[in-house]
Amino acid sequence: MLYRSEASPIPLISLQEIKTHLRLDHALEDEYLQNLIQGATEWVEHEIGRALLYQTWVNVHQPNECTFEQQATISIDLEYPPLVEIVSIEALLADGAKKPIRRYVLNTNNLMPRLSLGYQHHPIAITYRCGYGERPITVPPTLRQAVLTVATKFYEDRSQNTELKTPLLQSLLNPFRVMRIR
């Protein structure tokens, strides 16, 4: 199970930026525009498989049933790169206690960071931080433009049939997309 435990409180695109882009000079839709920015940011993150601003994720890995010979190591992908730091790795014991795991190998040679550690009989909770930075200026301009483009599409086409996979948007996102074979 993978879930985000903490997101950046700062929006990637400011309210003033989107209002300037849309040529709006009133405050009637400010709250709506902020929701569009948040939705567009989440859509882009999901689409490319990357975190934009710093955020904290928790990956709870359940052990598989396997034979003794197969129990050497397990590998776990840490989704939503770029990885900033591993906050903690803990075995979740049956009595509710947590036991820190300190021996592991982190491979960051691929697009997707991978954590390898000895087989555990208990679920493992991996808490890690990822993203390009704390401030919007640290996110590549192409990705900021993609979020602005998606928010604009949301605003201009309020129907249920908004087509987001346009050639322009895909050309902005493709260089950053994390490709996985599952």
Side-chain angles (χ1 to χ4, degrees), residues 1-179:
M1 173 177 69
L2 177 69
Y3 64 92
R4 183 172 42 202
S5 67
E6 184 181 333
S8 174
I10 302 169
L12 184 63
I13 304 296
S14 72
L15 183 59
Q16 190 55 50
E17 283 177 286
I18 194 165
K19 287 174 79 170
T20 299
H21 184 75
L22 293 171
R23 296 187 176 108
L24 298 175
D25 59 0
H26 57 78
L28 298 174
E29 298 178 296
D30 285 2
E31 186 176 335
Y32 177 65
L33 291 171
Q34 289 170 333
N35 289 336
L36 292 182
I37 292 166
Q38 180 180 353
T41 301
E42 290 176 8
W43 186 89
V44 167
E45 287 177 333
H46 178 74
E47 188 68 18
I48 65 173
R50 291 182 179 272
L52 299 179
L53 291 173
Y54 283 166
Q55 45 196 262
T56 303
W57 286 83
V58 177
N59 184 339
V60 178
H61 179 80
Q62 298 291 334
N64 294 331
E65 293 293 326
C66 56
T67 65
F68 181 74
E69 293 80 24
Q70 297 171 318
Q71 294 180 3
T73 62
I74 55 174
S75 294
I76 303 166
D77 288 338
L78 303 179
E79 298 193 38
Y80 291 99
L83 178 68
V84 175
E85 69 175 326
I86 294 178
V87 177
S88 66
I89 303 173
E90 301 170 313
L92 306 176
L93 305 179
D95 64 359
K98 297 178 181 178
K99 177 183 168 193
I101 298 173
R102 301 194 198 301
R103 294 179 58 150
Y104 60 88
V105 174
L106 179 62
N107 180 353
T108 58
N109 293 337
N110 301 323
L111 287 176
M112 182 75 66
R114 177 169 285 168
L115 187 72
S116 297
L117 58 142
Y119 182 81
Q120 302 290 315
H121 295 282
H122 302 284
I124 303 164
I126 304 159
T127 304
Y128 60 98
R129 284 181 29 127
C130 53
Y132 286 99
E134 291 180 345
R135 299 186 350 249
I137 193 74
T138 60
V139 176
T142 305
L143 292 175
R144 289 176 39 78
Q145 183 61 45
V147 170
L148 189 59
T149 300
V150 171
T152 299
K153 293 282 272 178
F154 286 164
Y155 181 81
E156 290 176 346
D157 185 4
R158 298 176 190 212
S159 73
Q160 299 293 326
N161 299 323
T162 300
E163 177 56 46
L164 293 176
K165 300 208 176 185
T166 64
L168 168 65
L169 193 53
Q170 295 308 307
S171 69
L172 292 172
L173 297 177
N174 282 342
F176 299 94
R177 195 179 304 276
V178 175
M179 303 301 271

